[in-house]
Structure formats: structure tokens, C-alpha cells
Amino acid sequence: SLVSNEFLCKALPYQNLSRPCDEMADVELQLQMARDFDARNDWVEIALTPSHARTIIASGKLAMVLSIETSKLFGTRDWRTELDRFHALGVRSLQPVHQLDNRFGGAALHNAIFQAAQFLETCHVDTDCGVTTDTMTLGFDVYRDAAGNCRNTKGLTADGKALVQAMMSRGMLIDVAHLSEKGLQDAFALAQANTYYPLVISHGHFREVMNPKLADDEKTTPAWVVR
């Protein structure tokens, strides 16, 4: 997983920064490092298709699948062109949304750090229900669901739905680990419409067996999503 977060990067001491806090530039550097790692080691290989992965595994090697996990996915560039470019470079999985809302959809709420980061993006304070404190939520537009929990109002956008569809057409792994609950519903509807195309939750936390404080987080995975 090629991971980057501009907000956390900018929180580093200035002397520790050797390059600008650009998420996609960071992803490209990690991608090149992964490709160099593959080239240097004969026990690992970047897998490009399921059959390729099986061939790698059958030969006793580790099959490595490259994914992108970042909030500012593709930056402001044309996402269709960027999807093609990164696919050509070996990326086979994406998370449409990471810690913050972006042009593709809404993020599942959890850590207050990212609520502060979202606030710096939007200057929005929501008092419909409280996640950051008991009475308010920073950054995100939220609503209270039937069970009384605060959830992100934003699902997949039109670009987000088009991105998921484009990933399906390329046979890519669609990782919905950080999508809001509304985003998960949107992604599942698209999967149903495409002969139940599989969705992946690469790192989830089963809500009903978490301790109550963590179980309140939208980032946890409820039983209805698993079903």
C-alpha cells in the first residue's frame, strides 16, 4: 500500500522534511521504490493479474500487489488519465477515499486528528451531532443515524461512482476500507449492478465485537456490511 497524508507530513519538524508534502508525489516515489525492490530481489515479484499472482506463488515467490491509499487521490489532475498511468505502472488496487473527504466521496469518521485536518480543508463546524466533542464535529458534514450515531453525510460522488466503474472494467481490487457508510452503500449498489463485482475491506474492525468506545466509530465495519 503506497500511503501518504499531507496533514501528517506537514506536522513533522521542518528539519525532517526532505521534499514537499505532496501526497501523489510521495506515492510516485514509493511506487518507484517498490519497483526497484522487485528488481533487486528474486524472491518477490509485483503481480499484475490473478493468473500472474498464481504463477509467482507457484514458483515459491511472494506476490506483491500494489495499492494506493491517500486522501488526495490523483490530486487535481484528470483522474481517468491518472488511473491509466498508474495502472500501466503496476498499481492494481485503490482506495477511492482515505482519511478525508475528496472529490470521489466521503470518509468514515474515526480519529479526531483527521477531523482537525478536514476542518483545515473546509472551515466547517457541524453541530447536528458530535464526534470531535459531545456537541460538535470539526470539518465533516454529519447526521445522526437511527441508532443515534454520527455519520458522514457524503457517499460516493459522481466521479467516485465513475472511478469505481472504471476500476471494475480494468479488473482492479476496489478497497472500501475508509469509505463512509453511505459510500459503502453506493459501492455495493455498483457491485450488485456489475454481477456482484467483489469489494475488499483491507483493514476493517468488526464493530459488534469492538469495545463500545471504538464501536461508535464509523470506520469500524458493521455486520450489515459483512453480510
Side-chain angles (χ1 to χ4, degrees):
S1 197
L2 313 169
V3 185
S4 188
N5 185 275
E6 180 185 52
F7 178 77
L8 295 181
C9 176
K10 287 181 175 178
L12 289 170
Y14 182 76
Q15 63 270 23
N16 290 1
L17 295 173
S18 58
R19 58 184 186 274
C21 293
D22 182 310
E23 292 185 9
M24 290 310 297
D26 196 21
V27 162
E28 294 214 41
L29 178 61
Q30 293 177 62
L31 174 57
Q32 186 57 55
M33 292 173 75
R35 289 158 62 89
D36 292 345
F37 183 81
D38 178 2
R40 287 196 310 271
N41 295 282
D42 60 6
W43 56 268
V44 62
E45 188 174 342
I46 294 170
L48 301 177
T49 66
S51 60
H52 186 205
R54 294 186 190 102
T55 299
I56 295 167
I57 293 163
S59 69
K61 297 181 181 182
L62 176 68
M64 182 162 60
V65 180
L66 297 181
S67 177
I68 297 177
E69 182 178 3
T70 185
S71 292
K72 297 188 176 178
L73 182 62
F74 304 141
T76 57
R77 297 177 179 178
D78 179 78
W79 66 260
R80 292 173 179 82
T81 302
E82 290 297 279
L83 179 63
D84 286 339
R85 185 167 71 87
F86 280 98
H87 188 272
L89 291 170
V91 171
R92 291 296 179 268
S93 179
L94 296 175
Q95 291 184 30
V97 172
H98 191 214
Q99 302 287 10
L100 307 181
D101 291 353
N102 63 16
R103 59 174 160 160
F104 301 111
L109 303 172
H110 65 119
N111 194 308
I113 289 173
F114 300 113
Q115 292 151 39
Q118 186 73 54
F119 173 75
L120 293 178
E121 299 274 333
T122 63
C123 297
H124 180 69
V125 178
D126 198 313
T127 56
D128 290 335
C129 63
V131 177
T132 314
T133 71
D134 291 339
T135 58
M136 66 90 174
T137 301
L138 285 176
F140 293 92
D141 186 12
V142 294
Y143 70 100
R144 193 177 297 278
D145 68 10
N149 299 303
C150 282
R151 299 292 182 246
N152 194 337
T153 61
K154 190 173 183 179
L156 285 177
T157 64
D159 271 348
K161 291 174 183 178
L163 173 63
V164 169
Q165 191 70 50
M167 290 176 68
M168 290 177 181
S169 71
R170 290 164 177 77
M172 297 178 73
L173 298 171
I174 301 165
D175 189 348
V176 295
H178 279 271
L179 271 180
S180 67
E181 289 192 3
K182 284 194 172 183
L184 285 167
Q185 291 168 339
D186 292 337
F188 183 64
L190 285 167
Q192 281 183 302
N194 287 267
T195 60
Y196 285 91
Y197 191 96
L199 303 173
V200 177
I201 299 175
S202 62
H203 50 294
H205 311 84
F206 296 110
R207 181 174 297 168
E208 285 76 12
V209 298
M210 300 294 288
N211 73 59
K213 181 173 174 57
L214 286 174
D216 287 342
D217 288 346
E218 188 173 10
K219 172 65 174 65
T220 56
T221 306
W224 66 262
V225 172
V226 179
R227 283 195 296 270

